[in-house]
Amino acid sequence: MIRLLLAEDQGMMRGALALLLGMEHDMEVVAQVGRGDEIVDAALLSRPDVALLDIELPGRSGLDAAADLRTEAPDCRVLILTTFGRPGYLRRAMEAGAAGFLVKDGPVEELAASIRQVLRGETVIDPALAAAALSAGPNPLTARERDALAAAVDGATVADIASALHLSESTVRNYLSSAIGKTGTRNRMEAVRAARRQGWL
Amino acid sequence: MIRLLLAEDQGMMRGALALLLGMEHDMEVVAQVGRGDEIVDAALLSRPDVALLDIELPGRSGLDAAADLRTEAPDCRVLILTTFGRPGYLRRAMEAGAAGFLVKDGPVEELAASIRQVLRGETVIDPALAAAALSAGPNPLTARERDALAAAVDGATVADIASALHLSESTVRNYLSSAIGKTGTRNRMEAVRAARRQGWL
DNA sequence: CGGCTCCCGGGACATTTGTCACGGCCAGGT
DNA sequence: ACCTGGCCGTGACAAATGTCCCGGGAGCCG
């Protein structure tokens, strides 16, 4: 029996996947969580063979949780299942030691097949996405540029970002300006969108 | 047998729901589409009793499609199934003649139960969401303010918006300013976010 | 009819934002 | 020891943005 952990914030999606996978004759869902910061605890408790993780979760990113599992539960393989096939996400997933990366498009049959594949020690990635991730190159933004950009997502002013990051307003503007330059965009919002599309956020 | 139409852009979600609902003894999924502009055609072809529509779809909004079904296939009940329980969405869904409004959180069991409820002529809405929609009041933005705000989502400049809407830059700035005032926000991006959270976009 | 609101535009103004040039500090590699 | 690159800050400047005035026209309603 393949023991599965399911981490997904949308209740209906989580429930549907759990029912479907539970119907496979060789699988059972031994844990379900809706938050990223519950993944490690649940994994330690229920000892799954494969953890199916969404990326964008409340509490803690699925990518961070994947890295945690690498050290806390090394014999649990991680399969990332996400809505967005962003190149940067794929790259970070691989660096976090994930064994596979699936997008939520594509047929459901793909899911069970990929789980078995991962359990056999193979790595499963959408070829087109892998090509995009390689051609895009690594994240050119520095840590602070990312911080500034991330703090700017919801329309915060320079003053807001500066106080949130304990920086001077001038510094914040310099970071934003260089981030805008590196993304080849015209203003803060375009830079944010470009960075998110690449999975750099 | 209850005949169902399923409109949902995420392949995995669509497939999972189709399988689950198909397993109910009194239901069958007679049509599945991944785009909003295929809903009416599919409904005319397969004559479903209930159409399960996501809102944010490529091609055409599920809300617009619901309004279309009202006239093109009047005996097909519409059940909106969406990720975001925005007050404005609920309001528009009701105005479009929807028989129910579900969010994708909450358990899967809710789904089949709601479908049967809708078919009995009842209206199904999350009470908390209904309260929020009523207390929020109607959309205070004028049509042009909405247009300007919608065109500003991805970091477009005033010049971009002006040329996209065939307006003068002064006019665009006036619309944006009044939208910012009505949403009680400080700049364009906060206004966009506030409007989207309310479902006013 | 007068009043109202929405649509569209112009002009002036303060504020914010984005850019550039310039410092200094510290860690890393050659 | 030197250079490079990230980090943090300043000051100044042009451009974009947001606000407040002001018009006129169209439609709707009491």
Side-chain angles (χ1 to χ4, degrees):
Chain A
M1 262 324 218
I2 306 177
R3 301 166 61 80
L4 296 175
L5 180 150
L6 212 55
E8 159 70 47
D9 60 333
Q10 260 188 354
M12 201 154 286
M13 184 70 161
R14 186 172 70 242
L17 290 181
L19 283 177
L20 282 186
L21 292 173
M23 240 171 295
E24 299 286 327
H25 56 284
D26 56 345
M27 298 184 187
E28 61 177 331
V29 177
V30 296
Q32 291 186 44
V33 301
R35 301 181 48 85
D37 46 15
E38 296 170 358
I39 292 177
V40 173
D41 288 344
L44 292 178
L45 205 67
S46 56
R47 297 268 155 206
D49 300 308
V50 177
L52 219 58
L53 306 186
D54 194 1
I55 291 186
E56 294 173 13
L57 293 170
R60 185 159 182 76
S61 156
L63 292 173
D64 297 337
D68 296 344
L69 288 180
R70 194 88 193 131
T71 65
E72 305 260 2
D75 45 347
C76 169
R77 320 235 182 201
V78 170
L79 185 54
I80 298 290
L81 176 66
T82 179
T83 308
F84 310 100
R86 314 206 205 273
Y89 278 177
L90 173 53
R91 180 177 297 266
R92 285 200 271 161
M94 292 302 116
E95 287 166 0
F101 191 95
L102 285 181
V103 291
K104 285 185 193 166
D105 297 345
V108 269
E109 299 80 21
E110 193 174 275
L111 191 53
S114 299
I115 290 175
R116 297 197 184 90
Q117 207 171 330
V118 160
L119 204 70
R120 284 199 303 271
E122 300 172 42
T123 302
V124 34
I125 306 174
D126 179 3
L129 189 54
L134 290 177
S135 72
N139 185 342
L141 301 175
T142 71
R144 299 306 259 166
E145 286 163 359
R146 269 203 319 268
D147 295 341
L149 223 46
V153 286
D154 27 41
T157 67
V158 174
D160 296 337
I161 305 173
S163 82
L165 267 63
H166 305 291
L167 288 178
S168 138
E169 299 198 8
S170 310
T171 309
V172 169
R173 287 176 350 156
N174 284 337
Y175 283 147
L176 289 178
S177 183
S178 89
I180 291 169
K182 286 180 180 175
T183 52
T185 51
R186 293 176 302 170
N187 55 47
R188 170 185 324 206
M189 273 318 299
E190 283 192 0
V192 167
R193 291 180 66 84
R196 294 222 297 193
R197 189 156 35 81
Q198 295 289 334
W200 293 342
L201 172 138
Chain B
M1 266 318 219
I2 306 177
R3 300 168 61 81
L4 296 175
L5 180 149
L6 212 55
E8 159 69 48
D9 60 332
Q10 261 187 354
M12 199 154 287
M13 184 71 160
R14 185 173 70 243
L17 290 181
L19 283 176
L20 281 185
L21 293 173
M23 241 171 297
E24 300 285 326
H25 57 283
D26 56 344
M27 297 184 187
E28 61 177 332
V29 177
V30 296
Q32 292 186 43
V33 302
R35 301 181 47 85
D37 46 14
E38 295 170 357
I39 292 176
V40 172
D41 288 345
L44 292 178
L45 206 67
S46 54
R47 298 266 154 209
D49 300 309
V50 177
L52 218 58
L53 306 186
D54 193 1
I55 291 186
E56 294 173 12
L57 293 170
R60 185 159 181 75
S61 156
L63 292 173
D64 296 337
D68 295 344
L69 286 180
R70 194 88 193 132
T71 65
E72 304 261 0
D75 44 347
C76 169
R77 320 236 181 199
V78 170
L79 185 54
I80 298 289
L81 176 65
T82 180
T83 307
F84 311 100
R86 315 204 204 273
Y89 278 177
L90 173 53
R91 179 177 297 266
R92 284 200 272 161
M94 292 301 116
E95 287 167 0
F101 191 95
L102 285 181
V103 290
K104 284 184 191 166
D105 298 345
V108 269
E109 300 81 20
E110 193 174 275
L111 191 53
S114 299
I115 291 175
R116 296 197 185 91
Q117 209 171 330
V118 160
L119 203 72
R120 283 199 304 270
E122 301 172 41
T123 302
V124 34
I125 306 174
D126 178 4
L129 189 55
L134 290 177
S135 72
N139 186 341
L141 301 175
T142 72
R144 297 308 257 168
E145 286 164 357
R146 269 202 319 267
D147 295 340
L149 224 45
V153 285
D154 27 39
T157 67
V158 174
D160 295 338
I161 305 173
S163 82
L165 269 66
H166 305 292
L167 288 178
S168 138
E169 299 199 9
S170 309
T171 309
V172 170
R173 269 129 62 93
N174 284 336
Y175 284 149
L176 289 178
S177 182
S178 90
I180 290 170
K182 285 179 180 175
T183 51
T185 51
R186 293 174 302 169
N187 54 49
R188 165 187 328 206
M189 275 317 300
E190 283 192 359
V192 166
R193 290 180 66 85
R196 294 222 296 193
R197 189 158 34 81
Q198 295 289 332
W200 292 341
L201 172 142

